[in-house]
Amino acid sequence: MTETAQQTTGAEQQEQPAAPAPRPKALTFGGALNAALAHALEDTREVVIFGEDVGTLGGVFRVTDGLAAAYGPERCFDTPLAESGIVGTAVGMAMNGLRPVVEMQFDAFAYPAFEQVASHLAKQRNRTRGCVSMPVTVRIPYGGGVGGVEHHCDSSEGYYAHTPGLKVYTPGTVEDAYLMLREAIDSDDPVIFFEPKKLYWAKSELTADELRSRYEAERIREGRAAVIREGEDLTLVTYGPSLPTALEAAEAAAEDGTSIEVVDLRTIVPLDDETIRASVERTGRALVVAEAQGFASVASELAARIQEQCFHSLASPVLRVTGFDIPYAAPKLEKHHLPSVDRILDAVDDLQWED
């Protein structure tokens, strides 16, 4: 090759643009929770994480994977199989300045700890006239859709929402999983943090660093519902594991000419009455969708509040689509038990569309 040719080849090589850096792989719902816990441990030395198998194993759903190795067994560690003891220990830690994050391995496994939650965790700040804070986050994987057996698919949010002194969070998106868990850990009040199990593998194009930046820029999301999909004919109010099903039903209804607005509560306690009311007053109709049983439920409270606050704007009664009032169905039957697109669309059809 001549010297001129060599120079030309070298110039062409220099002019070629550099290959773009590969984008990190999509962050899952569970990965967002893991990142939130890691960043909380990194940013706040008082944060400790413990529960059954959360240390060495990284949790049943691997939400705490790698945290014990990265931050040490003093910050993330395993406990005996004793839920009441786990929450009781967290109460004592919080009274002495720590910010515990504890995991109840499955929803119904948390019931033995309910006495500690209702009698001490929820009441301590009120009992001491605000002198003793309770910055405890209780993580509870909940809901169905994963083919789980008895004690593994309960939707127990109603118990905690009914208990004064507790905040109740339940994210339905990858973004909210990160942001809301960070806010729960920062709260000086106890937070019951419900994680929809069937969403653990949901993905987002966002990265953990992007979510961290967003969290630092926008801290307060508590008590702020999100209008996930805008609509004109009907307001569908939902939360947590029912959000994807609600959005799918809204998409199907749109093909038939019905415009459904989907409101994601994000936090059950505190509740964003203002966003719900503004939507229902505009659409004139409301449907509540939730996996838990319908009787004496969060869905019941939502229907009652909408009826009270929006009565003169309603063209139809407020309807609900919920799980049935039975113990959770066996795995092969859960598709019939849980709210489905068809059940939601049937409820939409049941609303009176004649003004």
Side-chain angles (χ1 to χ4, degrees), residues 27 59 71 129 153 155 164 178 220 234 237 244 260 264 274-275 303 307 319 324 326 340:
L27 190 68
Y71 298 96
R129 297 185 180 181
C153 292
S155 292
Y178 178 94
I220 304 301
L234 164 71
V237 183
I260 296 180
D264 175 18
E274 183 178 349
T275 295
Q307 191 79 6
L319 298 184
F324 298 114
I326 59 173
S340 63

Side-chain angles (χ1 to χ4, degrees), residues 88-134:
T89 299
V91 171
M93 285 182 165
M95 292 176 69
N96 287 277
L98 296 178
R99 307 187 79 86
V101 181
V102 303
E103 178 182 299
M104 302 285 102
Q105 201 167 71
F106 285 93
D107 28 56
F109 290 10
Y111 296 148
F114 192 76
E115 191 277 331
Q116 289 284 349
V117 171
S119 297
H120 304 292
L121 185 65
K123 291 183 170 63
Q124 191 66 29
R125 200 168 191 188
N126 182 72
R127 181 182 295 145
T128 61
R129 297 185 180 181
C131 294
V132 178
S133 299
M134 277 286 110

Side-chain angles (χ1 to χ4, degrees), residues 1 49 63 74 81 113 144-145 158 199 212 216 241 269 273 288 348:
M1 181 181 296
I49 297 170
V63 171
E74 298 83 12
L81 305 182
L199 298 186
R212 184 174 198 165
E216 291 171 351
V269 181
D273 285 298
V288 180
V348 172

Side-chain angles (χ1 to χ4, degrees), residues 18-42:
R23 183 173 176 81
K25 65 179 181 180
L27 190 68
T28 65
F29 191 100
L33 295 170
N34 179 270
L37 293 170
H39 292 165
L41 287 167
E42 182 179 329

Side-chain angles (χ1 to χ4, degrees), residues 221-241:
R221 301 169 77 86
E222 178 182 276
R224 286 171 50 193
V227 178
I228 303 296
R229 179 189 177 106
E230 294 184 348
E232 300 297 330
D233 299 325
L234 164 71
T235 298
L236 192 159
V237 183
T238 190
Y239 57 87

Side-chain angles (χ1 to χ4, degrees), residues 10-316:
E12 290 175 349
Q13 291 175 345
Q14 292 177 359
E15 292 173 359
Q16 290 179 353
R23 183 173 176 81
K25 65 179 181 180
L27 190 68
T28 65
F29 191 100
L33 295 170
N34 179 270
L37 293 170
H39 292 165
L41 287 167
E42 182 179 329
D43 294 346
T44 309
R45 64 183 182 86
E46 291 82 9
V47 171
V48 291
I49 297 170
F50 55 97
E52 298 164 2
D53 295 323
V54 304
T56 303
L57 180 65
V60 172
F61 296 100
R62 302 301 186 266
V63 171
T64 57
D65 189 34
L67 299 182
Y71 298 96
E74 298 83 12
R75 304 287 304 282
C76 181
F77 54 90
D78 294 328
T79 66
L81 305 182
E83 288 79 11
S84 182
I86 292 170
V87 175
T89 299
V91 171
M93 285 182 165
M95 292 176 69
N96 287 277
L98 296 178
R99 307 187 79 86
V101 181
V102 303
E103 178 182 299
M104 302 285 102
Q105 201 167 71
F106 285 93
D107 28 56
F109 290 10
Y111 296 148
F114 192 76
E115 191 277 331
Q116 289 284 349
V117 171
S119 297
H120 304 292
L121 185 65
K123 291 183 170 63
Q124 191 66 29
R125 200 168 191 188
N126 182 72
R127 181 182 295 145
T128 61
R129 297 185 180 181
C131 294
V132 178
S133 299
M134 277 286 110
V136 177
T137 301
V138 181
R139 295 180 42 244
I140 303 180
Y142 85 123
V146 296
V149 296
E150 187 181 27
H151 304 308
H152 291 72
C153 292
D154 283 22
S155 292
S156 53
E157 62 270 25
Y159 298 125
Y160 301 93
H162 186 68
T163 304
L166 299 176
K167 296 178 179 178
V168 182
Y169 291 12
T170 177
T173 66
V174 174
E175 176 186 5
D176 281 345
Y178 178 94
L179 297 173
M180 291 173 61
L181 183 53
R182 291 298 307 271
E183 291 200 1
I185 296 170
D186 281 350
S187 174
D188 287 332
D189 290 307
V191 178
I192 309 300
F193 194 88
F194 281 102
E195 302 168 5
K197 292 192 294 292
K198 70 180 181 183
L199 298 186
Y200 276 136
W201 300 273
K203 293 181 179 180
S204 168
E205 293 303 316
L206 295 168
T207 67
D209 288 340
E210 289 169 340
L211 286 172
R212 184 174 198 165
S213 297
R214 190 171 298 183
Y215 170 72
E216 291 171 351
E218 182 188 0
R219 289 293 183 100
I220 304 301
R221 301 169 77 86
E222 178 182 276
R224 286 171 50 193
V227 178
I228 303 296
R229 179 189 177 106
E230 294 184 348
E232 300 297 330
D233 299 325
L234 164 71
T235 298
L236 192 159
V237 183
T238 190
Y239 57 87
S242 297
L243 179 59
T245 307
L247 290 170
E248 188 178 350
E251 186 68 28
E255 297 177 1
D256 293 331
T258 302
S259 176
I260 296 180
E261 182 152 294
V262 178
V263 176
D264 175 18
L265 291 184
R266 287 177 171 159
T267 61
I268 298 171
V269 181
L271 184 66
D272 185 358
D273 285 298
E274 183 178 349
T275 295
I276 299 169
R277 184 171 60 248
S279 178
V280 175
E281 286 178 348
R282 190 179 67 258
T283 66
R285 294 174 174 83
L287 175 64
V288 180
V289 178
E291 284 193 8
Q293 306 93 285
F295 182 78
S297 63
V298 173
S300 299
E301 177 64 21
L302 289 167
R305 292 169 87 95
I306 292 169
Q307 191 79 6
E308 290 170 357
Q309 298 176 17
C310 306
F311 180 79
H312 295 290
S313 300
L314 288 170
S316 300

